[in-house]
Amino acid sequence: MDHLPAALERAGNEESWAVADAISTMLKNSEELHSWRRRLLSACIKGLVAMYSSSKDESKQEVERSMLLRLEELLCVVEEVDSDDWCNLVKTGLKYRYRDETFLKVLNVAIKLLYKKESSLSQ
């Protein structure tokens, strides 16, 4: 469980995320769930940044779309993100995927969630 988020940052494959989902289900009524989801959110962001940086063309659209939808889901639950991770995602995403409709939709949702008055990023 401690090593899985680091593996998710590099892998970006559905099998690893299936394990992460199983752990999330197992932690459903646990105090650790929020911390686990924060780690998954960070891993998801870092994985997307790595995909965007390494694959400047859009050849892995389905994998990216799946990761973006997972990012949106995690953001809606966690509602906070590390500012460095966030800046890297926005910068890299806008540089390489500024025409990708799914990226732009998820970015819009994320901005609305993260820049609410009570958010630490809004300051």
Side-chain angles (χ1 to χ4, degrees):
M1 202 170 126
D2 292 333
H3 303 288
L4 186 59
L8 293 170
E9 292 173 20
R10 293 184 309 271
N13 60 33
E14 288 303 310
E15 294 83 21
S16 296
W17 281 101
V19 173
D21 290 340
I23 292 171
S24 296
T25 302
M26 184 185 75
L27 294 174
K28 190 173 185 176
N29 296 321
S30 170
E31 295 173 5
E32 294 180 58
L33 183 60
H34 186 72
S35 172
W36 173 248
R37 286 181 173 157
R38 281 186 58 123
R39 292 170 58 200
L40 290 181
L41 178 60
S42 180
C44 185
I45 289 172
K46 289 175 182 172
L48 279 166
V49 168
M51 271 192 260
Y52 292 162
S53 298
S54 68
S55 176
K56 292 167 181 52
D57 65 341
E58 298 179 26
S59 61
K60 299 180 180 179
Q61 283 185 334
E62 280 307 309
V63 175
E64 289 178 10
R65 187 168 287 120
S66 170
M67 291 286 286
L68 284 166
L69 295 176
R70 183 174 299 278
L71 173 68
E72 181 179 5
E73 177 185 321
L74 287 166
L75 278 170
C76 288
V77 175
V78 177
E79 293 188 352
E80 57 185 305
V81 65
D82 179 73
S83 59
D84 290 336
D85 289 347
W86 174 245
C87 289
N88 286 335
L89 175 66
V90 172
K91 183 175 125 183
T92 308
L94 289 175
K95 184 174 183 178
Y96 298 115
R97 298 298 186 269
Y98 63 93
R99 292 184 183 182
D100 185 309
E101 185 178 343
T102 306
F103 170 76
L104 294 174
K105 283 181 179 178
V106 172
L107 183 63
N108 186 36
V109 168
I111 288 170
K112 288 178 182 176
L113 278 170
L114 296 174
Y115 289 91
K116 296 185 293 189
K117 263 189 172 178
E118 53 278 354
S119 170
S120 62
L121 282 177
S122 68
Q123 299 166 4

